[in-house]
Amino acid sequence: MIEKLLKNQGFQKKEEINSLVRLLKVSSILPKLDNINILASDNEPELFKIIPGRSITIGTLFLSNSTIALLCLRYGIEWQIWYSAAGKKQELTFLCDLAALKVTAQFYKMLPPVDKVDLGKNHPFVQKLIHQNNDEAIDVFNLDQETQEMLASVHSLEYKEQQIKRSWQNLIERLARPTEIMLMSGGDVRLNIDEKNLLNVYGCRPFPRPEAFTFASSTATSISNYAYNRAEKARVKLIKNSLKNGLKRGAQQFSEKLKVQLSNVFNLGNEGEIIFSPSGTDSALQIGAIAQVITEKSITHIVVASDETGSGVSLAVSGSHFAKNTALGHETVKGERINGFRDVKVLEIPLRDGVGDLKTSEVLDEEVLSAVKRCHSNGDYIVLHVVDQSKLGYQAPSPEAIEEAKNIENKLLQVVIDASQLRIDSEDINNYIQEEYIITITGSKYYTGPPFSGALILPKKVTKTLIASDKKLPEGLTEYFNATDWPKSWKCSSHLSKGANYGSYMRWNAAISEMKRYYTTPLALRNLGIEQFCNFVEESIFQAPFLEQLFVSDFESKNESKENEIRLRNIRSIFPFFVLKEGMPLPQEKMALLYRLLNQDISESFSKASIEAQRVAAQKCHIGQPVKVKYGKNQPSAVVRISLGARIISDSWKERDTSLFFSKIEEQTSQVTSVIKKIEMILEHPTLLREA
């Protein structure tokens, strides 16, 4: 089919070649189908034909426009997916038509404006059905007779029943969505992508972006080709199970399967109970709700490293709305108390003092212990939030301070480990569970799953208390969570919403795929690869005179349980640094601009430079977002970050060859060199940083 498309394209103009290349790149996110032939027809140029379960044929008239060819292909693939999932039952043919139309309309809407070209009056199928119905909210349940006949003409199957069933509507509304759109759902507006660059506020997208150099795992990462394909396969299976068993059971099975897989990744066995959430901040809300069920006493949350946690965490643990909308789409008023939560206290203990200096471990420990003792004397139930690697790589308070807090006589204390970065090993997670700590994790940081995938891991003691309780979780949580997020046997969560957050589950499916792939790399190679990459990054930043690390190579973990033990938590894997111009750090607004410029093709600004310089300028480099930090005592500034992500290891082990593994690691260290070179070029350009 591609050969026919190339032939009919004609290569008359440079723009046509560029258009074809762009469209072929987009085609990489099309679902992969087994046993379906994709054919092109010279004999019947106006043919667009689906042979159910066998083939998709596109005539040369459709192939004359690469956008139209892509849309026909997307429609045909989606139709075959639903037809196969429906058990090839002819009575469900009309359902397949409606689902394929819905998905293709959304797919068209996601194309860049440059590719939304005139679809041509000679292509009535695409022109009428796609171009005129390119809204994601297209009402496929009220199509006119002409449109229905046009849909039927593609496959020529006679409808045994053309009546739309209520169950069809629910299926199509929830599951007739391209994978990339599902990955954007069930979070908040920060997941939405802009129309021009197709990037969200984190600088990444919900479909693969292989053209970018990516070291942004401390913030967020575009989904990999591998994880995207796994997510697409999960979507197809979800459609099949939901058609067979109903939406509710299909969602429940999907959720439970993901929990089992996540438990297996970390070797939890029966020791930890998993609860999904749309984000790390939603996990904090779950902790706040669980505390309200566990105790009748007054509650105080002590949030350590409050200046390096999510901005909404303190609001969430207090039982307050932390954004204008919930993941389930309900509008809220930020800061207002969520229905059903009683008053709690929140004590914030930041890592930095009033002038921006990092506190010593001793000072921080003293503040934490002092707060715990005060709350204990008041008879409070205390929830101590500990951070095990913040977004800048810090850990606080020390294990010794935690132990001292636990040993206070007659205390009511629950320790929560904020491991959202998940830069720890399964051994560490199991140790925390044995200590009866609650752990918050995400799949979107170190393991490079799509942004907005949170979860709690609960120890047995907490789980038993919740199972035994007759209390319900606060009523207002129905706006935030579905019952399928929580263990299905729990009475306390049975009143929550009956739907399913498919976006959250799809993001977790992608993250778990990355986790499994990462752990297929032999441990010894994993550790050596991590050391090789991290040592290179640290040395490269040190050698660049225009960069200054936030903290340097004397970084030591206070959590080493064995001398010289190689563990992920003991390795510095986040490298924050200031960018200096004429010896002074860039202010925060210029750092934000530099961060955006790195992630763009800026070669036009270097049109008179060498070919090599233009190549570096054109390269899109995605690193960790700026974090506001003072430079020295009084200079406001910010740092950006180059971070190790699991994908650096797993991508290097794709060939399962030890010699190639280290060569692949070196390829990625060369990408770090390009990032630093591009920073230097931006600094030396006279106008690029003037916008801020």
Side-chain angles (χ1 to χ4, degrees):
M1 190 203 76
I2 292 175
E3 288 176 357
K4 295 288 186 183
L5 194 151
L6 291 171
K7 179 180 177 181
N8 285 280
Q9 189 76 8
F11 293 114
Q12 297 300 312
K13 299 178 182 177
K14 179 181 178 181
E15 291 76 14
E16 291 177 346
I17 298 174
N18 292 338
S19 172
L20 180 58
V21 170
R22 283 196 310 272
L23 268 295
L24 289 176
K25 284 183 178 179
V26 174
S27 71
S28 68
I29 67 172
L30 295 176
K32 310 300 185 291
L33 284 180
D34 295 327
N35 304 317
I36 300 293
N37 293 318
I38 310 294
L39 308 170
S41 175
D42 278 325
N43 297 330
E44 298 179 82
E46 298 183 22
L47 180 68
F48 174 44
K49 191 71 175 178
I50 294 172
I51 305 298
R54 291 174 54 189
S55 65
I56 301 166
T57 302
I58 303 176
T60 51
L61 178 63
F62 288 91
L63 295 181
S64 63
N65 184 310
S66 53
T67 300
I68 292 174
L70 184 67
L71 293 174
C72 288
L73 190 57
R74 187 66 185 91
Y75 181 93
I77 289 174
E78 193 66 22
W79 194 96
Q80 297 280 18
I81 285 173
W82 282 77
Y83 182 72
S84 176
K88 301 182 179 179
K89 296 177 181 177
Q90 192 166 338
E91 62 266 25
L92 297 180
T93 302
F94 191 43
L95 170 65
C96 301
D97 294 350
L98 301 181
L101 175 59
K102 178 83 170 178
V103 167
T104 308
Q106 295 173 76
F107 181 79
Y108 176 78
K109 189 177 181 181
M110 289 279 286
L111 292 177
V114 68
D115 293 320
K116 291 179 181 175
V117 295
D118 180 12
L119 297 181
K121 296 180 180 179
N122 293 326
H123 310 89
F125 179 81
V126 177
Q127 175 73 21
K128 180 174 178 59
L129 298 183
I130 308 305
H131 187 55
Q132 295 179 3
N133 298 301
N134 62 2
D135 189 343
E136 184 179 343
I138 174 178
D139 185 5
V140 296
F141 304 107
N142 289 293
L143 302 177
D144 57 48
Q145 188 64 31
E146 180 187 359
T147 301
Q148 293 181 23
E149 291 174 358
M150 193 177 294
L151 290 171
S153 69
V154 175
H155 50 74
S156 299
L157 287 177
E158 292 185 5
Y159 294 122
K160 286 188 176 180
E161 183 178 352
Q162 202 164 333
Q163 184 177 357
I164 298 173
K165 299 179 181 178
R166 174 67 180 175
S167 60
W168 290 11
Q169 187 167 349
N170 291 332
L171 278 165
I172 289 176
E173 286 175 352
R174 289 162 175 77
L175 301 182
R177 315 179 82 186
T179 295
E180 57 270 29
I181 288 182
M182 292 187 77
L183 290 168
M184 290 166 55
S185 68
D188 68 25
V189 294
R190 289 173 289 179
L191 287 175
N192 296 341
I193 58 177
D194 69 85
E195 188 178 65
K196 180 180 178 182
N197 299 308
L198 303 182
L199 298 177
N200 58 31
V201 296
Y202 298 110
C204 57
R205 60 179 52 144
F207 50 89
R209 196 179 181 227
E211 70 273 17
F213 292 168
T214 300
F215 305 105
S217 64
S218 54
T219 300
T221 312
S222 297
I223 189 171
S224 69
N225 279 287
Y226 177 84
Y228 185 88
N229 289 335
R230 300 300 298 178
E232 178 58 45
K233 288 181 179 179
R235 183 183 78 97
V236 171
K237 192 168 184 178
L238 181 60
I239 292 170
K240 182 177 181 179
N241 289 341
S242 298
L243 280 168
K244 180 180 178 181
N245 302 315
L247 275 170
K248 181 178 179 181
R249 189 174 175 189
Q252 187 73 58
Q253 289 174 337
F254 191 28
S255 173
E256 293 302 316
K257 182 179 179 180
L258 289 172
K259 290 173 185 177
V260 169
Q261 290 177 336
L262 186 57
S263 179
N264 290 340
V265 164
F266 296 123
N267 302 311
L268 295 179
N270 297 319
E271 295 301 314
E273 188 74 72
I274 294 171
I275 305 174
F276 285 135
S277 70
S279 70
T281 311
D282 287 283
S283 292
L285 177 59
Q286 289 174 332
I287 291 168
I290 286 170
Q292 304 246 332
V293 173
I294 286 177
T295 183
E296 296 287 347
K297 292 183 173 293
S298 59
I299 300 169
T300 297
H301 291 269
I302 302 174
V303 182
V304 184
S306 56
D307 48 348
E308 288 208 23
T309 59
S311 58
V313 166
S314 291
L315 282 173
V317 296
S318 74
S320 302
H321 296 296
F322 51 85
K324 294 181 179 179
N325 297 89
T326 74
L328 299 185
H330 297 278
E331 293 186 1
T332 64
V333 178
K334 185 176 179 179
E336 274 193 3
R337 183 61 46 82
I338 298 172
N339 186 30
F341 277 86
R342 61 183 191 272
D343 289 343
V344 300
K345 290 177 286 186
V346 179
L347 299 180
E348 296 183 342
I349 300 180
L351 291 178
R352 297 179 180 274
D353 60 23
V355 296
D357 291 335
L358 188 68
K359 299 172 185 173
T360 65
S361 179
E362 292 74 18
V363 168
L364 198 69
D365 286 353
E366 185 179 340
E367 287 186 30
V368 171
L369 288 170
S370 176
V372 171
K373 290 173 182 176
R374 286 199 312 273
C375 296
H376 172 60
S377 66
N378 293 333
D380 292 349
Y381 181 88
I382 306 163
V383 184
L384 176 61
H385 297 255
V386 175
V387 63
D388 192 340
Q389 294 225 27
S390 67
K391 58 189 175 185
L392 293 179
Y394 296 119
Q395 302 171 35
S398 69
E400 293 78 14
I402 299 171
E403 284 300 315
E404 188 173 343
K406 287 168 57 181
N407 290 331
I408 296 174
E409 189 176 356
N410 297 323
K411 88 291 181 190
L412 294 170
L413 177 71
Q414 175 62 58
V415 176
V416 175
I417 304 295
D418 179 356
S420 296
Q421 286 284 335
L422 210 42
R423 296 174 189 272
I424 57 178
D425 298 299
S426 58
E427 179 184 352
D428 300 305
I429 292 176
N430 280 278
N431 288 340
Y432 283 144
I433 291 296
Q434 292 299 321
E435 292 288 341
E436 299 291 348
Y437 299 164
I438 297 174
I439 311 168
T440 67
I441 64 172
T442 68
S444 56
K445 298 296 191 290
Y446 181 70
Y447 288 100
T448 68
F452 277 67
S453 51
L456 292 183
I457 304 177
L458 302 183
K460 278 187 175 180
K461 183 178 178 181
V462 174
T463 299
K464 288 179 179 178
T465 303
L466 290 167
I467 291 174
S469 176
D470 292 329
K471 294 180 64 178
K472 297 284 188 182
L473 293 168
E475 187 64 33
L477 292 190
T478 56
E479 296 183 345
Y480 283 86
F481 306 109
N482 297 289
T484 52
D485 300 328
W486 301 69
K488 60 183 179 181
S489 61
W490 286 15
K491 294 180 181 178
C492 65
S493 58
S494 60
H495 64 294
L496 297 181
S497 300
K498 304 305 179 186
N501 191 330
Y502 293 106
S504 173
Y505 298 161
M506 291 292 284
R507 294 191 290 273
W508 262 115
N509 183 85
I512 292 170
S513 298
E514 294 287 7
M515 292 174 179
K516 289 179 177 179
R517 188 164 70 119
Y518 173 77
Y519 283 110
T520 62
T521 309
L523 177 60
L525 291 183
R526 230 169 40 224
N527 289 335
L528 287 171
I530 289 171
E531 289 280 4
Q532 179 184 356
F533 179 83
C534 292
N535 288 342
F536 182 88
V537 173
E538 184 172 29
E539 184 63 22
S540 298
I541 295 172
F542 180 76
Q543 293 291 339
F546 49 90
L547 305 181
E548 185 175 324
Q549 298 188 61
L550 179 61
F551 49 86
V552 290
S553 58
D554 60 354
F555 173 82
E556 294 179 358
S557 170
K558 298 288 192 296
N559 293 303
E560 295 184 23
S561 58
K562 297 180 182 178
E563 188 176 358
N564 299 323
E565 183 181 10
I566 299 177
R567 288 167 63 182
L568 183 57
R569 69 177 319 144
N570 297 337
I571 298 170
R572 182 182 173 200
S573 60
I574 301 175
F575 298 89
F577 55 88
F578 297 98
V579 178
L580 310 179
K581 186 174 178 63
E582 298 176 352
M584 295 299 293
L586 294 181
Q588 185 180 9
E589 62 274 12
K590 289 192 182 295
M591 284 290 275
L593 176 57
L594 178 130
Y595 166 80
R596 294 194 297 271
L597 291 171
L598 281 173
N599 208 16
Q600 299 172 9
D601 177 351
I602 56 172
S603 56
E604 287 186 3
S605 298
F606 295 89
S607 57
K608 296 182 180 180
S610 67
I611 297 297
E612 174 61 19
Q614 291 182 48
R615 183 191 66 79
V616 173
Q619 179 59 55
K620 297 167 184 175
C621 303
H622 188 208
I623 63 175
Q625 281 183 326
V627 178
K628 185 178 180 181
V629 177
K630 282 190 177 180
Y631 179 83
K633 290 287 185 181
N634 302 309
Q635 183 72 43
S637 184
V639 290
V640 287
R641 296 158 286 167
I642 293 176
S643 305
L644 169 75
R647 205 182 296 174
I648 290 169
I649 302 301
S650 50
D651 276 350
S652 299
W653 185 242
K654 282 191 297 190
E655 306 298 329
R656 306 294 179 95
D657 184 306
T658 301
S659 60
L660 286 176
F661 174 77
F662 294 106
S663 297
K664 293 290 186 181
I665 295 288
E666 288 176 0
E667 286 179 14
Q668 297 187 74
T669 59
S670 70
Q671 294 180 9
V672 172
T673 301
S674 295
V675 172
I676 294 175
K677 177 62 177 175
K678 189 169 182 179
I679 292 174
E680 183 180 24
M681 291 172 62
I682 292 170
L683 289 173
E684 292 177 350
H685 194 279
T687 61
L688 283 176
L689 290 176
R690 286 183 182 174
E691 293 179 24

